[in-house]
């Protein structure tokens, strides 16, 4: 790497700020079209929900025997992808992986948005949404649903904080740089939210302390969230759900689909806002490696589950097993197994498909596969008859599909709106990271760090701890 | 709290009050039978109580009854909470804690095939509790038995003493009463359906739409032991007819059974009756190899079964099928909808 002087660093910073702040000031025609389209879909979903409110849950395809369906599937799925951000960025922060820097902000966005959308789903699923207050008036600690509410609200609060803290310097930047070009409400927004940040050493020190605390807190919270989500199912006496491994399974699946979602969102934003300089192919490949790693973990978990139950075929387990492998759920199950785990892992492991496109394609498969897994866990678990009756059938009604479309559109819509208000790449962290790199390179060139191996850009070495660096 | 479509205005109620709905003939006949059963059961119980001299064991139950029950029970007309209305004022009305239990003698259950009617326990329950279609709070399932035949097994809510449905409810809308029955407060239920996923006996029902019911439900004052009028979007199930029992009557299903296969009684007093004979519960259970459904799940049901396949009433185990349950009322509350329990396409 070229050793560069302070002038070059300043130039880099300038360019970076321009690039990242550009979406906040200028908006193209395509953007409005996109927002309009998303709004239309969300509106359609809202209409479907209105129909459901008017007619009752009879407009869905759920009935007594399969009493949870698409909504609970989506709940688990969205809460799953919310593990994208916090867990990934926190883990990467803890392990000091330098290449994470431009990715973390997006990951944290996804967390907050997915959590908000996911938490709506059980409300939509409720038979009596007008009695929501009963959860507070009569809430019982013994119910897994209450654990969920507690865990999810904690996680949501935590991730909003965790998103917000590293945002402060960037908001201050937007306040300083954009005061002439943006609307007055935005100016006020930046001024208030940047809480008087001027970048003094003291401020920086406290920010770093707060961020470190949050990232240490958020990891156990994130793990607990998907564990208790799994316990909604795991605490019942249904044979397919009666599985002590469920918590670990859900958490691994959550991170897995979370990484895939980051990759997809990252690829889209990178294309649209020309962030190629900061989000490099290496980022995709590193995330791809993580994805492949989790694919292997998932395959292993599935092996554990299905080899042990399939070998014994005890009790009702037999019927469930046959249902999944050859019965009515077989298409979903095999798509999940082959398309959702084996194929993505192969795409990433084989060198000549390991490109941006490859990783993105793998991620799309992972997300679809994980959605299907959630579906067959929920529906398959309930479909297994508990008494001698013909297994019930379930295929979501138009209302459920519309609400699902609305939920996905809402997810995209919030992201689309947020990228217009908040910088999607952490400017100060990227700049600082760049400076550190350059300083090392320069000192190395001057022989200060002679004898240490620093020739490579750290982002080309995944999972490597970045070195402690002296400030100039 | 309930929306406009589901509550009934005073005017509507008055309109129906004027009408005085006719009682189905079957129900009237059963009423006579019921009085007779009640009298017999009461007599036998009285005798036993005198012998045992348990009148002194009073006031035990009062501190045990939780506020929840007294709050929601809303003083049922014929059976005030905690009082034995059936024998009130005779000194034996002890406030002792009943532990209701049911024994279903499968040797005598032929799925009502000999009568050429749908299962009369289900029918009686529907008529007595005004159960909305398509719910069968007590449902007759056909199980395969070794040897190729089948047996009929009437399954009400098992009134688990370690009820998984109660455990998971986030708002305490379903709870175990001290007497054993598990009840649901349909005015508190938020319709999350956790309990339906948790029940291993498929015994909880949901009002997916406005439940079909006869107009006379509009007159009723709601209480959890009489689950009408029912709002939309809540769970419903068998209540074990504890209010009937306190008033000295058999549950509707036991009354309806033409073969007297259903015994109902009190574990505390160790007595049960099917309306025909009175048995000592403990020895009746132990001498007839009683079992409980899915005992391995440790839900501790209050419903016991005596193994059999209708042989005592001459049923051939190899004849399959039974007639479908019918809902008696022709006139329904306006806007009511039926659905299928197993999904729209079935
Ligand atoms: S559906 Fe009603 S009774 Fe059942 S768990 Fe939910 S709130 Fe409780
Ligand atoms: S049978 Fe089902 S509904 Fe009845 S108490 Fe047991 S778990 Fe609850």
């Amino acid at each position: 790497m070229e050793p560069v002087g302070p002038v070059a660093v300043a130039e880099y910073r300038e360019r970076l700020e321009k690039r990242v702040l550009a979406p906040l000031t200028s908006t193209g025609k395509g953007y409005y079209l996109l927002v309009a389209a998303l709004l239309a879909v969300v509106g359609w979903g809202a209409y479907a929900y209105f129909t459901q409110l008017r007619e009752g849950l009879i407009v869905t395809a759920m009935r007594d025997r399969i009493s949870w369906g698409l909504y609970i599937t989506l709940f688990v799925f969205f809460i799953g992808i919310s593990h994208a951000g916090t867990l990934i960025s926190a883990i990467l922060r803890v392990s000091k992986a330098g290449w994470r820097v431009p990715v973390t902000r997006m990951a944290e966005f996804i967390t907050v948005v997915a959590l908000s959308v996911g938490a709506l789903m059980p409300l939509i699923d409720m038979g009596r949404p007008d009695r929501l207050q009963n959860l507070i008036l009569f809430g019982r600690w013994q119910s897994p649903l209450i654990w969920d509410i507690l865990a999810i609200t904690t996680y949501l609060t935590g991730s909003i904080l965790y998103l917000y803290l590293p945002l402060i310097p960037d908001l201050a930047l937007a306040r300083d740089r954009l005061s002439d070009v943006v609307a007055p409400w935005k100016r006020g927004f930046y001024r208030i939210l940047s809480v008087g940040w001027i970048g003094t050493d003291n401020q920086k020190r406290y920010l770093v302390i707060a961020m470190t605390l949050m990232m240490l807190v958020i990891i156990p919270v994130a793990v607990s969230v998907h564990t208790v989500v799994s316990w909604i199912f795991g605490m019942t006496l249904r044979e397919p759900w009666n599985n002590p491994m469920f918590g670990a399974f859900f958490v691994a699946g959550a991170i897995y689909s979370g990484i895939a979602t980051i990759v997809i969102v990252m690829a889209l934003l990178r294309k649209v806002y020309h962030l190629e300089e900061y989000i490099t192919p290496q980022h995709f490949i590193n995330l791809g490696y993580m994805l492949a790693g989790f694919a292997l973990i998932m395959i292993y978990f599935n092996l554990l589950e299905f080899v042990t139950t399939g070998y014994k075929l005890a009790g009702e387990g037999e019927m469930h097993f046959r249902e999944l492998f050859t019965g009515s759920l077989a298409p979903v199950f095999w798509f999940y197994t082959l398309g959702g785990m084996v194929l993505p892992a192969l795409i990433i492991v084989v060198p000549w498909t390991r490109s941006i496109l490859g990783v993105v394609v793998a991620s799309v498969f992972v997300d679809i596969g994980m959605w299907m897994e959630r579906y067959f866990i929920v529906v398959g678990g309930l479909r297994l008859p508990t008494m001698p009756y013909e297994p019930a059938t379930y295929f979501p009604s138009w209302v459920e599909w519309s609400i699902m479309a609305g939920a996905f559109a809402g997810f995209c819509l919030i992201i689309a709106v947020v990228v217009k208000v908040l910088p999607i790449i952490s400017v100060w962290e990227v700049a600082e990271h760049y400076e550190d790199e350059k300083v090392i390179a320069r000192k190395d060139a001057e022989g200060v760090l002679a004898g240490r191996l620093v020739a490579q850009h750290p982002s080309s070495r995944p999972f490597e701890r970045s070195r402690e660096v002296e400030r100039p | 709290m309930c929306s406009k479509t589901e509550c009934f205005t005073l005017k509507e109620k008055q309109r129906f009050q004027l009408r005085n709905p006719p009682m189905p003939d079957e129900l009237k006949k059963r009423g006579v039978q019921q009085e007779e059963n009640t009298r017999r059961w009461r007599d036998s119980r009285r005798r036993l109580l005198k012998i045992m001299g348990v009148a002194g064991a009073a006031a035990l139950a009062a501190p045990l009854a939780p506020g929840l029950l007294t709050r929601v029970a809303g003083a049922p007309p014929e059976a005030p909470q905690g009082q034995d209305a059936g024998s009130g004022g005779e000194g034996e009305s002890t406030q002792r804690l009943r532990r209701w239990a049911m024994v279903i003698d499968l040797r005598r259950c032929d799925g009502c095939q000999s009568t050429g009617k749908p299962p009369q326990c289900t029918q009686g329950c529907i008529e007595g509790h005004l159960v909305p279609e398509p719910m069968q709070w007590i449902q007759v399932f056909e199980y395969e038995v070794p040897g190729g035949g089948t047996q009929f097994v009437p399954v009400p809510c098992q009134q688990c003493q370690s009820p998984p449905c109660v455990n998971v409810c986030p708002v305490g809308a379903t709870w175990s009463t001290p007497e054993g029955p598990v009840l649901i407060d349909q005015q508190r239920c938020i319709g999350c359906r956790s309990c339906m996923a948790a029940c291993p006996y498929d015994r909880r029902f949901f009002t997916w739409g406005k439940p079909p019911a006869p107009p006379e439900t509009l007159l009723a004052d709601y209480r959890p032991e009489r689950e009408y009028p029912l709002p939309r979007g809540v769970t419903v199930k068998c209540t074990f007819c504890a209010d009937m029992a306190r008033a000295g009557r058999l549950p509707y299903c036991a009354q309806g059974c033409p073969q007297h296969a259903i015994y109902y009684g009190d574990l505390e007093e160790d007595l049960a009756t099917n309306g025909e004979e009175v048995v000592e519960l403990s020895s009746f259970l132990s001498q007839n190899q009683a079992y409980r459904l899915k005992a391995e799940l440790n839900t501790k049901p209050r419903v016991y079964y005596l193994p059999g396949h209708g042989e005592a009433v001459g049923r051939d185990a190899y004849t399959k099928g039974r007639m479908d349950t019918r809902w008696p009322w022709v006139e329904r509350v306006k806007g009511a909808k039926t659905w299928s329990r197993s999904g729209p396409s079935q």
Side-chain angles (χ1 to χ4, degrees):
Chain A
M1 182 161 293
E2 287 291 296
V4 281
V7 182
V9 171
E11 257 171 29
Y12 177 87
R13 202 183 169 113
E14 182 86 26
R15 221 171 44 237
L16 172 70
E17 284 172 11
K18 267 219 187 90
R19 252 289 163 262
V20 175
L21 296 182
L24 309 191
T25 51
S26 63
T27 304
K29 219 197 238 147
Y31 177 81
Y32 287 115
L33 276 178
L34 177 76
V35 168
L38 290 177
L39 267 178
V41 181
V42 172
W44 178 248
Y47 170 71
Y49 183 56
F50 174 71
T51 311
Q52 181 183 308
L53 277 183
R54 206 184 50 216
E55 306 278 320
L57 284 168
I58 196 164
V59 296
T60 68
M62 297 182 277
R63 289 298 179 263
D64 287 354
R65 274 157 187 164
I66 299 184
S67 55
W68 282 335
L70 210 51
Y71 301 147
I72 297 294
T73 306
L74 283 177
F75 166 63
V76 183
F77 178 76
F78 273 115
I79 302 293
I81 60 176
S82 80
H83 283 51
T86 313
L87 206 56
I88 290 164
S89 63
I91 287 178
L92 296 185
R93 254 191 233 274
V94 169
S95 61
K96 298 213 174 78
W99 62 271
R100 83 183 140 83
V101 172
V103 182
T104 48
R105 175 71 47 80
M106 281 179 213
E108 287 151 18
F109 273 150
I110 294 173
T111 299
V112 173
V113 181
L115 261 183
S116 321
V117 176
L120 267 183
M121 286 297 139
L123 302 188
I124 292 177
D125 185 67
M126 268 167 69
R128 305 289 312 196
D130 55 323
R131 295 181 184 168
L132 198 57
Q133 75 280 4
N134 285 6
L135 285 171
I136 295 158
L137 295 178
F138 308 111
R140 292 167 72 245
W141 299 113
Q142 299 93 321
S143 165
L145 223 61
I146 296 286
W147 308 341
D148 262 25
I149 293 171
L150 286 176
I152 289 172
T153 43
T154 312
Y155 189 34
L156 187 60
T157 322
S159 6
I160 289 176
L161 272 179
Y162 190 54
L163 168 67
Y164 174 62
L165 286 174
L167 253 176
I168 297 175
D170 284 353
L171 287 170
L173 181 77
R175 174 197 61 195
D176 299 341
R177 292 281 194 285
L178 305 179
S179 52
D180 318 325
V181 277
V182 294
W185 70 266
K186 254 191 187 176
R187 221 177 299 152
F189 177 82
Y190 293 136
R191 202 187 56 242
I192 293 166
L193 282 189
S194 56
V195 289
W197 175 272
I198 42 171
T200 62
D201 282 348
N202 229 10
Q203 283 180 334
K204 273 189 188 153
R205 201 161 49 100
Y206 283 123
L207 182 70
V208 168
I209 292 174
M211 276 165 55
T212 314
L213 268 181
M214 272 323 289
M215 89 192 170
L216 292 181
V217 168
I218 210 84
I219 294 177
V221 172
V223 171
S224 79
V225 166
H226 229 65
T227 309
V228 296
V229 165
S230 83
W231 283 349
I232 293 190
F233 310 105
M235 291 298 165
T236 67
L237 294 169
R238 303 253 167 187
E239 182 58 34
W241 296 344
N242 194 357
N243 183 347
M245 224 176 62
F246 239 36
F249 210 160
F250 268 52
V251 173
I255 303 177
Y256 186 46
S257 58
I259 303 172
T261 312
I262 294 192
V263 168
I264 297 170
V265 173
M266 210 166 80
L268 286 174
L269 292 181
R270 173 179 186 262
K271 259 257 118 44
V272 176
Y273 295 120
H274 313 290
L275 304 172
E276 283 85 355
E277 187 179 348
Y278 313 104
I279 301 176
T280 59
Q282 198 57 50
H283 284 108
F284 286 90
I285 289 172
N286 286 353
L287 284 175
Y289 284 140
M290 285 179 79
L291 205 61
F294 272 93
L296 295 182
I297 293 176
M298 291 298 288
I299 292 174
Y300 176 62
F301 278 178
N302 274 282
L303 215 65
L304 286 185
E305 177 172 351
F306 290 113
V307 170
T308 51
T309 55
Y311 186 89
K312 294 177 284 189
L313 289 182
E316 294 168 339
E318 172 174 8
M319 181 167 175
H320 184 62
F321 192 81
R322 292 194 193 285
E323 193 76 344
L324 283 184
F325 278 71
T326 53
S328 68
L329 290 167
V332 178
F333 177 75
W334 287 111
F335 186 93
Y336 155 69
T337 313
L338 301 178
M341 297 186 299
V342 176
L343 184 69
L346 279 182
I347 292 179
I348 291 157
V349 168
V350 175
W352 49 90
T353 48
R354 197 192 301 144
S355 61
I356 294 189
L357 184 69
V359 176
V360 172
V361 169
S363 298
V364 172
F365 271 102
V366 169
D367 264 348
I368 300 176
M370 285 311 292
W371 181 88
M372 291 195 161
E373 189 218 14
R374 304 324 194 186
Y375 182 86
F376 79 69
I377 285 180
V378 174
V379 176
L382 289 166
R383 186 168 189 273
L384 194 64
T386 51
M387 298 302 274
Y389 54 77
E390 279 295 298
T393 54
Y394 173 76
F395 188 78
S397 71
W398 74 267
V399 172
E400 291 168 278
W401 288 122
S402 309
I403 288 181
M404 170 165 148
F408 278 106
F411 178 76
C412 301
L413 185 66
I414 302 177
I415 291 186
V417 170
V418 161
V419 296
K420 284 291 161 194
V421 184
L422 304 175
I424 36 168
I425 285 186
S426 184
V427 177
W428 67 280
E429 281 178 293
V430 172
E432 219 162 68
H433 182 62
Y434 179 81
E435 278 162 34
D436 290 348
E437 294 305 316
K438 297 307 159 192
V439 168
I440 295 167
R442 195 171 71 233
K443 288 196 176 163
D444 190 40
E446 289 163 5
V448 177
L449 299 177
R452 289 220 213 148
L453 190 71
V454 286
Q456 263 181 325
H457 189 276
S459 63
S460 59
R461 280 177 283 154
F463 308 127
E464 194 211 33
R465 300 172 138 261
S466 73
R467 290 154 300 256
E468 288 300 322
V469 172
E470 292 170 48
R471 293 297 159 89
Chain B
M1 191 176 277
C2 47
S3 73
K4 208 177 158 213
T5 45
E6 287 153 13
C7 278
F8 312 109
T9 59
L10 193 63
K11 220 165 144 195
E12 267 176 314
K13 279 198 178 183
Q14 280 165 349
R15 192 152 52 83
F16 284 111
Q17 236 147 16
L18 291 174
R19 194 185 285 164
N20 187 17
M23 218 189 214
D25 274 352
E26 295 247 345
L27 213 62
K28 259 187 227 158
K29 263 186 251 148
R30 197 166 296 126
V32 177
Q33 167 75 33
Q34 168 186 315
E35 289 307 316
E36 174 64 6
N37 294 343
T38 310
R39 196 185 51 73
R40 277 195 226 160
W41 189 39
R42 225 184 275 162
D43 285 348
S44 74
R45 202 178 41 180
R46 232 169 255 167
R47 270 202 307 280
L48 194 94
L49 279 172
K50 286 213 179 103
I51 295 165
M52 289 160 66
V54 285
L60 227 164
L64 288 176
L68 191 63
L69 180 64
T70 36
R71 185 186 67 73
V72 290
E78 73 256 64
Q81 186 61 46
Q83 236 190 59
D84 198 340
S87 51
E90 286 178 48
E92 73 201 35
S93 156
T94 61
Q95 293 190 342
R96 72 188 272 174
L97 191 63
R98 300 288 176 188
R99 290 194 291 141
W100 305 118
M102 183 179 275
V103 187
I104 300 180
D105 187 350
L106 300 181
R107 296 167 304 194
R108 299 170 81 158
C109 174
D110 64 349
C112 282
Q113 289 190 81
S114 58
T115 61
K117 287 188 200 155
Q120 290 300 296
C121 50
T122 315
Q123 208 65 47
C125 176
I126 288 170
E127 288 164 18
H129 280 286
L130 306 173
V131 178
E133 196 175 348
M135 302 177 190
Q136 301 181 27
W137 292 355
I138 178 166
Q139 180 166 3
V140 178
F141 287 110
E142 195 168 359
Y143 276 84
E144 309 243 312
V145 289
T150 62
Q151 65 176 166
F152 286 111
V153 182
V155 185
C157 164
Q158 302 291 297
Q159 312 298 349
C160 311
Q161 295 310 291
S162 173
C165 58
V166 169
N167 289 345
V168 299
C169 179
V171 295
T174 183
W175 76 99
S176 282
T177 61
E179 293 183 327
V182 171
L183 296 180
I184 305 173
D185 181 353
Q186 276 92 11
Q187 296 184 338
R188 186 191 279 193
C189 171
I190 59 168
C192 66
R193 309 196 287 296
S194 303
C195 53
M196 303 184 70
C199 174
Y201 303 100
D202 179 45
R203 278 315 71 199
R204 294 180 80 93
F205 308 83
F206 197 73
T207 52
W208 296 97
K210 185 173 172 126
E216 46 265 48
T217 56
L218 299 176
L219 306 176
D221 285 325
Y222 168 80
R223 58 199 168 90
E225 287 187 330
R226 293 274 151 178
E227 299 169 300
Y228 50 74
L230 272 177
R232 186 175 80 190
V234 296
T235 42
V236 194
K237 73 169 187 63
C238 156
T239 64
F240 223 37
C241 286
D243 57 342
M244 303 266 288
R246 279 195 298 270
R249 292 182 199 149
L250 277 180
Y252 292 113
C253 51
Q255 287 180 33
C257 177
Q259 316 290 7
H260 301 289
I262 303 180
Y263 293 75
Y264 191 88
D266 179 4
L267 287 171
E268 193 60 32
E269 212 177 302
D270 206 14
L271 276 182
T273 178
N274 59 354
E276 213 179 37
E277 53 167 340
V278 178
V279 294
E280 194 190 22
L281 204 41
S282 51
S283 59
F284 188 55
L285 292 177
S286 58
Q287 282 164 17
N288 293 300
Q289 294 83 40
Y291 68 97
R292 295 188 276 185
L293 292 184
K294 302 196 187 185
E296 73 280 5
L297 297 181
N298 204 19
T299 53
K300 307 195 179 76
R302 273 281 172 87
V303 179
Y304 298 84
Y305 290 88
L306 307 184
H309 49 76
E311 66 272 30
V313 290
R315 174 179 173 257
D316 168 24
Y318 293 94
T319 353
K320 292 195 179 183
R322 61 163 180 81
M323 284 180 68
D324 277 340
T325 306
R326 287 187 315 263
W327 272 260
W329 48 84
V330 270
E331 201 177 346
R332 287 175 178 174
V333 211
K334 231 173 69 217
K337 285 194 183 105
T338 50
W339 53 86
S340 140
R341 291 199 67 213
S342 286
S345 64
Q346 286 196 355

